[in-house]
Amino acid sequence: MAGEAPTLHHQHVRLYEQVRSVHLERARELAPAAIVYRAKRYDFDPALADGVELTQAGTLGAARLVLRSRITRVEIDEPLYLDSLPRTAAVLAVLGMKHLAGAPRAEVATYAIEDLDPFAIRPPRVRSRLRRSVERVLAGYIWHRLDTVVYGTSEADVLYNSTFAHPPRRQLTVEALPSPCPCAADLAVRDQDSVLFLGSFSPRKGFADVLEAWPAILSRHPGARLTLVGTGELLSAAQDAAAADPTIRLIVDPPRSVVHEELRRAHVLVLPSRRVGAWREQVGLPIVEGLAHGCEIVTTSETGIAEWLIDAGHVVLPAAIDSAGIADGVVDALVAPRGAADVLAALPGVDGRIAAGRALFGDRGARA
């Protein structure tokens, strides 16, 4: 369902700034809830929306929806996700006013994976500094309104507890690791020479570095093939590379079924994320999805699960690695002796995000 509705049918609401396909997939494994979002991500697949209460609303629209609806639980974007702050704060303020007027108090929870303090970077312009000051106030208000925070990485735990005082009543960490995808049981399509880049074609994801590294990878592993799946600001570079090199295949913004097919086929998933300004890779959904399909991972230490990846035998490169180092990492992963089943065997039985979603309003695993 698109557009604003007079009321929400569910009393449990997930308030997201952006909605993507993975949110819809997870919704089927979590308690029923309405998803209220402002914008769709590039990887949103409308075919997955059937049966999900899905409502698009901006700041005022979301506040009106909450005012008209009976809400007992609300899951919000994490407080250090600055883009969502005005909308989240407005919704929480409306819930607070309803409580003062006699409505039951809504329980508020969040899942947090941020690992870089946006307030530690001083903007160059006065107007930007004033905006950042307002954002700090809003983030503090939202933090103090939380009943529960579930961290997806230990780095997020450290960051939040060093940034804000007076933590929520319940805090716990559920590491952001996937469980094996059911479709990964079909490993017959695995191509041992296949390398996959999945996600945003952007500098911060290291996309240009992968393209630059590809000739060196080919020279050392002549049978290698590179598949680029996604879209983004460097799409023209992807198109040029695929047109010039028959070992490079480009799939632009495909449906989820194709994404899963390419993940099953790939031996190596490469995502050499770079820190750009106030952005740092939190976990990296392509990394999570690659693991869930038994891929060898090549990434940088920027991801919040870097230590787990190292312990599990994946390739984690220094954050400032150049294209030659990326080529080394990809070749090492291509010749790794273990199979996809070994990668899958190291994963938990329950997806970490699903476990975290179930814990957000539960009463188990709380930490003093």
Side-chain angles (χ1 to χ4, degrees), residues 160-299:
Y160 273 94
N161 282 283
S162 63
T163 302
F164 299 106
H166 310 297
R169 176 176 55 86
R170 292 181 65 241
Q171 294 189 94
L172 56 151
T173 298
V174 179
E175 198 157 25
L177 299 173
S179 58
C181 182
C183 79
D186 178 14
L187 300 177
V189 296
R190 182 75 65 197
D191 179 351
Q192 293 301 115
D193 294 319
S194 176
V195 179
L196 174 65
F197 181 97
L198 170 65
S200 174
F201 301 158
S202 63
R204 68 185 188 179
K205 297 293 187 176
F207 180 71
D209 302 298
V210 172
L211 293 183
E212 185 178 345
W214 188 244
I217 295 168
L218 274 180
S219 69
R220 295 167 55 188
H221 198 94
R225 287 173 289 277
L226 174 63
T227 300
L228 310 174
V229 177
T231 190
E233 61 189 280
L234 298 180
L235 176 58
S236 61
Q239 292 169 331
D240 291 344
D245 187 341
T247 68
I248 298 178
R249 187 165 58 110
L250 173 63
I251 305 174
V252 179
D253 198 15
R256 288 293 288 170
S257 59
V258 174
V259 172
H260 280 260
E261 180 181 340
E262 294 304 322
L263 285 163
R264 290 195 301 273
R265 176 178 289 113
H267 180 197
V268 175
L269 182 137
V270 58
L271 191 80
S273 302
R274 309 290 196 180
R275 193 176 304 198
V276 177
W279 182 88
R280 179 184 178 187
E281 188 72 80
Q282 297 167 334
V283 176
L285 182 59
I287 294 174
V288 171
E289 296 196 317
L291 288 171
H293 289 81
C295 298
E296 295 287 347
I297 304 299
V298 178
T299 187

Side-chain angles (χ1 to χ4, degrees), residues 9 33 43 49 72 103 106-108 112 115 119 125 132 142 151 156 163 168 188 198 208 221 236 242 255 286 290:
H9 298 297
D43 60 352
T72 58
E107 192 175 355
V108 182
D115 52 10
F119 303 124
R125 297 181 179 180
R132 190 55 48 86
I142 293 167
Y151 302 106
T163 302
L198 170 65
H221 198 94
S236 61

Side-chain angles (χ1 to χ4, degrees), residues 296-313:
E296 295 287 347
I297 304 299
V298 178
T299 187
T300 66
S301 56
E302 291 298 282
T303 174
I305 61 170
E307 290 187 10
W308 184 92
L309 289 169
I310 292 171
D311 291 342

